[in-house]
Amino acid sequence: MPIIFATMSRLYFALMLGGSLFILMRGHNDPGGGFIGGLMAAAAFATLALTRGVDHARRVLRVHPVVLVGCGLALACVSGLPGLVSDASYLTHWWTSGAVHLGTATLFDIGVYLVVLGGVLCLVLRLYEDLHGEVAP
């Protein structure tokens, strides 16, 4: 591993994770959203796993990627329930009034973000473990 890449990996990780959150939050009205943000966050963790090892990336992540997939799927499914209360249409989202444009669609985007992040990390971390002979916890 080139020493410059290994040294700069912390900065890359922070920038990519921050960028993924920015893309997540601007995604409803502009290009971006949960899918692209989740891919970018997974790339941040993949960079960390590539330079510092899978164990370090798992410690930084703090939860197993499968847990992220389950929580994201549950959040995305629950975000559609308020529409059933208002006009009997699942995934009809509620919005806040005012300067901040938030609603249940934001919860749906966060759920997609978590599903993509967890799903891609399951694949990438397992691939890195097989390549480097590390043992999954």
Side-chain angles (χ1 to χ4, degrees):
M1 185 66 46
I3 192 165
I4 294 174
F5 183 54
T7 304
M8 297 298 290
S9 67
R10 285 189 211 173
L11 179 63
Y12 293 153
F13 174 75
L15 289 174
M16 292 170 77
L17 201 58
S20 77
L21 293 174
F22 174 75
I23 288 172
L24 167 69
M25 295 311 293
R26 73 179 286 249
H28 187 72
N29 294 324
D30 293 316
F35 188 83
I36 301 299
L39 282 178
M40 196 164 173
F45 280 99
T47 301
L48 204 60
L50 182 66
T51 58
R52 299 183 163 264
V54 173
D55 290 338
H56 182 76
R58 285 188 188 275
R59 278 194 306 273
V60 171
L61 185 60
R62 295 179 189 242
V63 296
H64 198 279
V66 173
V67 174
L68 289 177
V69 171
C71 290
L73 192 59
L75 188 61
C77 290
V78 167
S79 73
L81 293 178
L84 291 174
V85 175
S86 63
D87 64 353
S89 177
Y90 184 69
L91 287 176
T92 299
H93 293 288
W94 289 1
W95 294 99
T96 59
S97 59
V100 180
H101 193 70
L102 292 175
T104 54
T106 306
L107 293 177
F108 182 81
D109 280 342
I110 292 170
V112 170
Y113 179 92
L114 292 175
V115 167
V116 171
L117 174 62
V120 171
L121 282 181
C122 282
L123 174 73
V124 168
L125 295 180
R126 185 66 185 171
L127 179 67
Y128 285 170
E129 287 171 346
D130 285 346
L131 288 176
H132 300 288
E134 296 179 32
V135 177

